[in-house]
Amino acid sequence: MHVAVIGAGLAGLSAAHYLCAGGAEVSIFEREVEVGLMTSSRNGSLLHPSMVEPWNEPGVLGTLLRNLGNSDAAMLLRLHALPGLIGWGMRFVRESSSKRFHANTLANVALARHSLALMKTLGDEGVQYHAYRRGSLVVLRSAEALAKARQWREWLAPHGVPFSLLSRDELVALEPALAPIAGELIGATHQRDDEGGDPQRFAEALAATLQARGVTLHLGQAIERITLNSGRVSGLQLADGSQPRFDAVVLAAAAWSAPLAATAGLSVPVKPVKGYSLTLPRQGADGTDRAPRTPVVDPSLHMAVIPVGDDRVRVAGTAEFTGFDLSIRPERVANLTRLVTQLYPQYMAALPANAAEPWTGLRPMSPDGVALIGATRVPGLYLNTGQGHTGWTVAAASGQLLACAVLNQSASIDARPYSPRRFAGL
Ligand SMILES: Cc1cc2nc3c(=O)[nH]c(=O)nc-3n(C[C@H](O)[C@H](O)[C@H](O)COP(=O)(O)OP(=O)(O)OC[C@H]3O[C@@H](n4cnc5c(N)ncnc54)[C@H](O)[C@@H]3O)c2cc1C
């Protein structure tokens, strides 16, 4: 069976890995000139089964409406994007009921936990990505925040997401870089099973192993449309006009999957949600390293700070509904810089001027916050997208589930919550 995978980000490469392991002949098509250059490059770099809840938590509509026009808001809806979001947005709001939110969270937890187990195997097989296992810290600034966090963590824990409550002293002992602002914190939750690493390095390492196993990687090749014959997928049409034939096509092109699927008559409900990151050096101008060693999330600042490799720190945050817009807005960068300075004033003060490298990416978001993995109603056309803010955390398990669907093999976890067929018309 010859399978074409569109997109060489974390979703496409992981799918290709398990398709190849299952015996398929695989060709990957990527319009960029390197793998993992888009959403999968400078993301938050955290593998976080503890934080995979969808972003449409109960009350999300009120939050979005209150934030309209506030360009510093963590979750922001830009008015120009509104017309393109109407149908998707109605489902997004419907899925924010308490019952749906909790069910969707558990679907994501199951995928994430399975994925981290698969990542260990990938690491043993030589896919190296600066992995480290120190968990993640969510810092808490008030008794009210602590009570809320504790209630949520106690609900999640029986589902395989262990945590510890840390006092302020225990927190600073674990992460001394927080000592300068310890007086503002009352403690933290420590999600012991979360992990860190370098997603772009992971993508590159996975691509190298795929090529060594005979997977063909077509870089700089944009796909224009999916070709059909009697209603069944027959192959692809490339931008150069060529039409290679395939037995099956996997769309793993993040939010760009939607316009591509439309060429086969499908309406895929995945929208781009823009986020920013800053990449900072660990070392200050004086040569000292005051940077954090453990990933820290500050919910009151809506921001995560994660060590990457030996020499960098990544700061990630913000969610903007603004269409396929990859421009870097100075005011968003300034806001993120201000927030990270509130959390790590000494580290930030020691950095050389203009040390921060800003980046932006478009999370492929489904309206229920759960990925779309598997067959569509068009025979031969499969989806692996919609992983949203969890795309690295769930990449390996998503790829494995996708391969099971294409190769008609039984999966290790229940595949039904991720089926694209839960959406009308797919
Ligand atoms: C700020 C930010 C922080 C994040 N932090 C985390 C985190 O800490 N942990 C986590 O798990 N997730 C995180 N995410 C989410 C994660 O990065 C994404 O879910 C994931 O990268 C999506 O992978 P992908 O392969 O679907 O998309 P991409 O990496 O974007 O890959 C899709 C590929 O398809 C290609 N493509 C598109 N159209 C075509 C075409 N017509 N022809 C050929 N190729 C095409 C694109 O060029 C692209 O390379 C974060 C995202 C952002 C934006």
Side-chain angles (χ1 to χ4, degrees), residues 25-107:
E25 184 185 349
V26 184
S27 299
I28 307 176
F29 292 86
E30 167 56 55
R31 73 177 165 201
E32 299 295 328
V33 292
E34 300 285 346
V35 303
L37 272 192
M38 297 305 287
T39 329
S40 302
S41 61
R42 298 192 188 187
N43 68 24
S45 311
L46 193 60
L47 295 159
H48 50 80
S50 72
M51 285 173 253
V52 291
E53 58 273 23
W55 282 357
N56 41 347
E57 61 180 4
V60 70
L61 182 60
T63 308
L64 281 171
L65 293 177
R66 270 193 307 280
N67 290 346
L68 272 177
N70 172 9
S71 62
D72 280 351
M75 193 185 275
L76 177 62
L77 171 60
R78 299 237 181 235
L79 281 175
H80 71 85
L82 205 50
L85 282 172
I86 289 177
W88 185 95
M90 278 162 58
R91 178 83 185 242
F92 183 76
V93 171
R94 217 165 55 235
E95 293 287 337
S96 69
S97 72
S98 177
K99 188 174 166 207
R100 294 300 312 144
F101 172 74
H102 284 85
N104 292 334
T105 298
L106 292 186

Side-chain angles (χ1 to χ4, degrees), residues 298-344:
D298 187 334
S300 67
L301 302 179
H302 302 282
M303 177 192 64
V305 183
I306 300 105
V308 181
D310 300 331
D311 55 352
R312 284 159 297 150
V313 170
R314 178 104 358 107
V315 183
T318 73
E320 251 178 88
F321 293 90
T322 183
F324 287 96
D325 167 18
L326 279 165
S327 63
I328 294 189
R329 290 182 177 238
E331 72 274 15
R332 290 300 252 182
V333 174
N335 189 43
L336 207 49
T337 309
R338 186 175 58 76
L339 295 178
V340 68
T341 306
Q342 283 177 39
L343 195 61
Y344 295 112

